[in-house]
Amino acid sequence: MRLKTSLLKEPKHILSLRINCVGWTTADELYSCSDDHHIMKWNLLTSETVQVVRLPDDIYPIDLHWFPRSIGGKKQSHAESFVLTSSDGKFHLISKSGRLEKSVEAHGGAVLAARWNYEGTALVTVGEDGQVKIWSKSGMLRSTLAQQGTPVYSVAWGPDSEKVLYTAGKQLVIKPLQPNAKVLQWKAHDGLILKIDWNSVNDLILSAGEDCKYKVWDSYGRILFSSQPHEYPITSVAWTMDGELFAVGSFHTLRLCDKTGWSYALEKPNTGSIFNIAWSIDGTQLAGACGNGHVIFAHVVEQRWEWKNFEITLIKRRTMEVRNVINDAVDLLEFRDRVIKASLNYGHLVVSTSLQCYVFSTKNWNTPTIFDLKEGTVSLILQAERHFLLTDGGGLYLYSYEGRLISSPKFPGMRTDVLNAQTVSLSNDTLAIKDKADGKVIYIFEALSGKPLGDGKPLTHTTEIVEIALDQKGLTSERKIVFIDKNRDLHITSVKRFGKEQKIVKIGTMVHTLAWNDTSNILCGIQDTRFTVWYYPNTVYVDKDLLPKTLYEKDASEFSKNPQIVHFVGNQITIRRADGSLIHLNISPYPAILHEYVSSSKWEDAVRLCRFVKDQTMWACLAAMAVASKDMATAEIAYASIGEIDKVQFINFIKDLPSKESRMAHILLFSGNTQEAETLLLQTGLIYQAIQVNINLYNWDRALELAVKHKTHVDTVLAYRQKFLEDFNKKETNKRFLQYAEGLEVDWNKIKAKIEMEIAKERERAATAASPAHLGK
């Protein structure tokens, strides 16, 4: 990926004085302000430049910011105006046509920066007087947020518009709007901080200063990246809207960087210092305000997408080159408008331009499916095997690969402009979205209908969630979602939720990045200093003790600090290191083959495969899979192969149970689902077995409660309780047991006879249920 820059031979601003600020109105129209007091409008389609307004001689413009165009897809009424700050201590509200709507006395000394919040309900200004002020959209002062002795050079809103980030010399300060909320302040640079930016999608902060470095921070003030010192101070930084890229400007220097900090490209244009950078709304191009009176334009080219044997490169703004690395065949894809977003996965390439969406099959590049897009620029494309998701300023849209609109899910307070691949996940039947307003909540939808899944309640966690991912294969009823929370713990849970609270189970700690496999439910992630593959994450629901035996782990120190998993396709994992280089890892192909056999119920083939591979991890996976599928014969073989003799004995005990219901209940017990096992026994009338289960688990109160409720085997419970206390030389202290034991003689012969009678009854019932006559009915 690189920047293709363009500069005019002669500057358009009359006196060639420095340009202070630039701002886009649409993807092809830009406004610029210069020390020559002129505001110019640039049209990139017609290459025309016209003067919008000449400011009075005493107004030297410093910064401009356009009013937000749309919120949640709705056009704003004020969107045709911008705020301009100037050296005379005022800010000015100016319409698109150049009419001065209002001038407001704001600061003592120059107003150095102003920013609208994301909703357009408030404006923040900062000045040489060291004050940070909040204003209404009509220019009425609401509050003075901060006051300090040094000038504030730059300011940015937090993603929720509830906090403001501003500079204080070498320090950065995050101040909430609530009066008594905690202020976060830290030393960020060794020199004066000149520019900052805070992205609403990835929640990351950029800072740049006179120490000639740019840095990336998280919203807690922890450093994620620090650049090498440049030759000159860094005078500008800016995020793209989607938070995937940022640009850095300095003297004769323009740099394009990934969100993690490493640099894609470095350009050395003849610009002087670049004082301000603005990205177009679609994130395909940027403009820079230059110290030599020029405006520099740069658009992003040579983006690359890879999938299996295909490599696709955006060689021009409207042209893609497709290369098949197996036979070196090359295809050129031409588009009517410039390419904004693209995604390549599951045998399909999805490309969105400014007006249309193109869907190509990797089997045939000549005949794409083309359909028109609704208004708004596509900010995210997510693919699953059967369909794909587009998000723009107006909403979420799920399309089939034939171009048919399937559904358009909605939820309260939906803001599509802040969604990214970490907070949205798509599978063949399910769509999951992390709520931006409440970071502990995940909304889950049926993909085909767009309606909330199950009982409609969202999934809620105890702490804030950072990243989510749905598994891709298997039945809808068994769909699982994994998520990383703020503590970097990895959790798994089922998406099917009907009233009952689903178990959320922790399966990893200190997890930085993760990915599901595209063809089987195998999960990989980097936790702490280890690269880990969970060959069968569902093991936690079957036999938690077995989970460590189903993992593959290797040292991850070769990936350096903060690596990211890019793809997990087939048995190859692609990891991007912090310096931008890619590493390809291969894992064993056998677990994926085992998943395939089990999903097709080919148990004999699965056992044969494990015997061939002779690997404990494979046997452990097969054991868990067999118990999950209630195939106890295969489970017995697998557990025996990994030396779990106690579990083999319990499986044999289960196999000898007379009735199907009893066997099912004990399989649930085996997986630790005590409540479900008891419910199943009670529903099928096996009261004694339900009582016995609780006795075996030493749930004495529950065992007695069931016996009293159903008026049977009270003496059995008391007898076992008495024997238990005698074994430990203890006396009865439980009032309920003392009450029912009063005057009751324990006769073990009677109790044994009753138990034998219950077993005989169950056998008889099982035999009746299995008889041909009964089956015929």
Side-chain angles (χ1 to χ4, degrees):
M1 201 186 297
R2 67 181 182 86
L3 288 171
K4 190 175 179 183
T5 59
S6 60
L7 273 168
L8 297 175
K9 284 182 182 172
E10 295 295 326
K12 291 286 183 179
H13 281 269
I14 300 163
L15 300 174
S16 299
L17 297 172
R18 73 175 239 182
I19 312 285
N20 290 316
C21 47
V22 287
W24 297 87
T25 56
T26 66
D28 297 300
E29 189 179 78
L30 180 92
Y31 278 50
S32 63
C33 300
S34 163
D35 279 352
D36 66 0
H37 310 289
H38 288 90
I39 297 176
M40 306 289 279
K41 180 166 78 173
W42 306 66
N43 189 316
L44 270 63
L45 295 177
T46 60
S47 300
E48 284 181 335
T49 313
V50 294
Q51 180 183 311
V52 178
V53 64
R54 189 186 192 286
L55 300 167
D57 287 348
D58 59 339
I59 295 180
Y60 286 88
I62 294 175
D63 187 30
L64 78 82
H65 191 227
W66 282 91
F67 195 85
R69 285 177 68 225
S70 61
I71 298 298
K74 291 172 189 160
K75 280 269 188 286
Q76 298 273 73
S77 56
H78 293 65
E80 302 294 293
S81 65
F82 61 92
V83 60
L84 181 79
T85 71
S86 57
S87 57
D88 60 353
K90 295 178 183 173
F91 69 82
H92 314 273
L93 301 178
I94 303 174
S95 74
K96 194 175 181 180
S97 60
R99 193 172 77 252
L100 187 66
E101 306 278 357
K102 192 171 191 181
S103 291
V104 179
E105 286 277 357
H107 291 266
V111 184
L112 297 176
R115 286 288 175 271
W116 295 105
N117 69 358
Y118 293 101
E119 293 76 30
T121 54
L123 174 73
V124 62
T125 60
V126 294
E128 279 184 326
D129 59 0
Q131 294 189 340
V132 180
K133 293 184 176 181
I134 308 290
W135 309 80
S136 73
K137 66 180 176 186
S138 59
M140 301 291 288
L141 180 66
R142 284 185 183 167
S143 67
T144 301
L145 195 66
Q147 201 158 354
Q148 57 186 43
T150 54
V152 181
Y153 287 98
S154 192
V155 68
W157 286 94
D160 54 3
S161 298
E162 294 293 322
K163 301 186 192 84
V164 168
L165 168 75
Y166 60 90
T167 66
K170 300 174 184 180
Q171 311 255 327
L172 285 178
V173 184
I174 296 177
K175 177 134 191 199
L177 299 188
Q178 289 85 8
N180 299 320
K182 190 181 172 189
V183 177
L184 183 64
Q185 183 168 348
W186 71 96
K187 186 187 175 190
H189 287 261
D190 295 325
L192 207 61
I193 300 170
L194 300 175
K195 271 286 192 295
I196 51 174
D197 198 8
W198 193 349
N199 187 262
S200 64
V201 178
N202 60 30
D203 201 18
L204 298 179
I205 292 166
L206 285 175
S207 64
E210 286 188 343
D211 60 358
C212 306
K213 291 180 181 179
Y214 64 88
K215 298 183 181 184
V216 183
W217 310 84
D218 69 10
S219 54
Y220 302 101
R222 295 177 296 208
I223 191 156
L224 302 177
F225 180 86
S226 176
S227 73
Q228 293 298 313
H230 287 57
E231 288 180 73
Y232 301 99
I234 309 286
T235 45
S236 54
V237 285
W239 285 109
T240 53
M241 290 276 283
D242 63 7
E244 292 299 312
L245 303 169
F246 64 87
V248 177
S250 180
F251 182 76
H252 288 343
T253 303
L254 183 62
R255 192 182 278 279
L256 178 68
C257 301
D258 183 77
K259 64 180 174 187
T260 52
W262 57 273
S263 181
Y264 276 110
L266 175 65
E267 299 293 325
K268 288 284 189 180
N270 185 25
T271 55
S273 290
I274 299 174
F275 291 110
N276 179 236
I277 293 172
W279 283 93
S280 64
I281 292 149
D282 57 19
T284 60
Q285 56 193 337
L286 63 86
C290 307
N292 63 359
H294 281 276
V295 172
I296 185 171
F297 291 96
H299 58 262
V300 180
V301 292
E302 292 182 20
Q303 283 171 280
R304 286 173 55 171
W305 296 267
E306 293 172 6
W307 182 76
K308 292 192 175 175
N309 52 306
F310 292 100
E311 190 180 80
I312 296 177
T313 310
L314 183 69
I315 53 172
K316 293 179 187 168
R317 304 174 82 176
R318 300 175 186 178
T319 310
M320 282 180 159
E321 181 188 83
V322 180
R323 185 178 293 277
N324 185 336
V325 296
I326 291 175
N327 56 17
D328 234 19
V330 175
D331 289 276
L332 283 181
L333 311 179
E334 300 277 350
F335 302 94
R336 196 182 72 185
D337 309 292
R338 71 170 170 273
V339 172
I340 291 172
K341 282 271 174 198
S343 175
L344 175 64
N345 216 334
Y346 296 104
H348 290 89
L349 170 69
V350 181
V351 180
S352 80
T353 66
S354 47
L355 296 171
Q356 292 175 310
C357 181
Y358 295 73
V359 184
F360 297 86
S361 167
T362 54
K363 292 170 185 166
N364 180 5
W365 296 104
N366 300 321
T367 52
T369 301
I370 306 170
F371 58 89
D372 292 335
L373 291 167
K374 298 186 178 176
E375 64 168 334
T377 302
V378 170
S379 56
L380 178 67
I381 304 174
L382 273 188
Q383 287 179 261
E385 189 181 12
R386 293 181 199 154
H387 41 237
F388 64 94
L389 179 81
L390 297 180
T391 73
D392 63 18
L396 300 156
Y397 308 100
L398 204 69
Y399 289 94
S400 70
Y401 286 114
E402 291 75 46
R404 181 173 52 84
L405 180 65
I406 298 169
S407 65
S408 180
K410 289 180 173 59
F411 58 91
M414 182 169 82
R415 264 186 70 188
T416 52
D417 58 323
V418 296
L419 299 177
N420 62 10
Q422 280 71 50
T423 56
V424 186
S425 187
L426 179 69
S427 73
N428 282 336
D429 43 56
T430 313
L431 172 67
I433 303 167
K434 191 195 106 174
D435 187 10
K436 187 72 180 178
D438 183 353
K440 301 173 185 177
V441 170
I442 301 171
Y443 290 103
I444 298 171
F445 301 93
E446 283 177 4
L448 299 180
S449 67
K451 292 175 181 171
L453 197 69
D455 57 7
K457 290 180 183 172
L459 191 154
T460 309
H461 187 48
T462 50
T463 36
E464 193 182 321
I465 294 162
V466 176
E467 186 173 345
I468 65 173
L470 287 161
D471 64 9
Q472 295 298 311
K473 303 301 280 186
L475 302 170
T476 312
S477 57
E478 293 169 8
R479 182 72 56 236
K480 296 288 187 291
I481 186 169
V482 292
F483 56 86
I484 302 171
D485 65 18
K486 198 167 72 172
N487 303 325
R488 291 284 158 197
D489 289 333
L490 177 63
H491 300 265
I492 187 169
T493 187
S494 175
V495 299
K496 281 281 182 187
R497 312 168 78 75
F498 290 100
K500 66 174 183 178
E501 195 54 45
Q502 198 67 40
K503 269 202 293 189
I504 296 176
V505 188
K506 186 161 89 172
I507 58 170
T509 55
M510 292 307 292
V511 179
H512 306 291
T513 176
L514 60 85
W516 282 103
N517 185 257
D518 64 332
T519 53
S520 52
N521 289 339
I522 298 172
L523 178 70
C524 72
I526 295 173
Q527 50 174 352
D528 211 4
T529 56
R530 300 185 316 283
F531 170 74
T532 307
V533 181
W534 289 263
Y535 283 135
Y536 187 56
N538 282 8
T539 305
V540 290
Y541 291 106
V542 178
D543 184 352
K544 209 171 182 179
D545 303 334
L546 204 58
L547 186 66
K549 293 186 178 181
T550 63
L551 305 183
Y552 164 76
E553 293 186 312
K554 76 177 291 258
D555 182 45
S557 54
E558 64 176 293
F559 308 142
S560 74
K561 195 182 171 190
N562 292 334
Q564 291 293 314
I565 296 171
V566 183
H567 296 298
F568 185 7
V569 177
N571 59 326
Q572 190 179 71
I573 296 149
T574 307
I575 295 170
R576 193 179 287 284
R577 288 167 36 158
D579 62 1
S581 59
L582 291 173
I583 294 176
H584 299 283
L585 276 185
N586 282 309
I587 60 164
S588 166
Y590 296 122
I593 299 168
L594 184 66
H595 273 272
E596 204 176 305
Y597 283 151
V598 170
S599 64
S600 310
S601 298
K602 295 179 179 174
W603 296 105
E604 286 178 15
D605 291 343
V607 171
R608 208 173 290 123
L609 176 69
C610 290
R611 282 182 176 144
F612 168 72
V613 177
K614 294 177 184 161
D615 179 34
Q616 292 281 297
T617 310
M618 290 282 285
W619 282 116
C621 289
L622 181 60
M625 289 170 177
V627 174
S629 301
K630 316 285 189 289
D631 190 309
M632 300 320 279
T634 308
E636 187 183 354
I637 297 165
Y639 273 113
S641 301
I642 53 174
E644 299 269 1
I645 305 306
D646 53 336
K647 285 168 186 170
V648 174
Q649 287 173 338
F650 191 68
I651 289 166
N652 278 322
F653 163 71
I654 292 172
K655 282 160 73 180
D656 291 339
L657 288 168
S659 70
K660 183 186 167 187
E661 293 86 356
S662 192
R663 285 195 292 276
M664 285 289 293
H666 280 81
I667 291 169
L668 287 169
L669 275 177
F670 184 89
S671 303
N673 299 318
T674 315
Q675 193 58 52
E676 287 172 43
E678 185 197 285
T679 306
L680 177 63
L681 290 168
L682 291 172
Q683 280 173 351
T684 50
L686 299 170
I687 309 299
Y688 165 68
Q689 279 84 343
I691 293 167
Q692 190 63 50
V693 159
N694 282 292
I695 290 171
N696 292 343
L697 293 169
Y698 305 118
N699 291 342
W700 297 110
D701 288 327
R702 181 62 180 156
L704 184 63
E705 188 186 324
L706 287 174
V708 171
K709 185 180 175 183
H710 295 280
K711 298 175 183 168
T712 179
H713 288 283
V714 176
D715 54 344
T716 308
V717 178
L718 294 169
Y720 276 104
R721 170 78 170 179
Q722 192 178 322
K723 186 173 182 299
F724 167 76
L725 292 170
E726 283 169 6
D727 289 344
F728 289 94
N729 289 324
K730 291 198 171 181
K731 285 192 173 180
E732 184 62 79
T733 54
N734 188 310
K735 286 179 182 175
R736 288 204 72 199
F737 277 91
L738 288 169
Q739 178 192 334
Y740 284 104
E742 212 173 298
L744 187 82
E745 282 291 321
V746 172
D747 186 342
W748 274 104
N749 291 329
K750 261 190 194 176
I751 287 164
K752 280 174 186 171
K754 272 169 82 175
I755 291 170
E756 279 166 18
M757 203 161 79
E758 290 283 0
I759 293 166
K761 251 199 290 190
E762 191 184 343
R763 282 208 178 99
E764 191 181 317
R765 185 171 151 180
T768 310
S771 68
H774 185 81
L775 290 171
K777 284 178 190 172

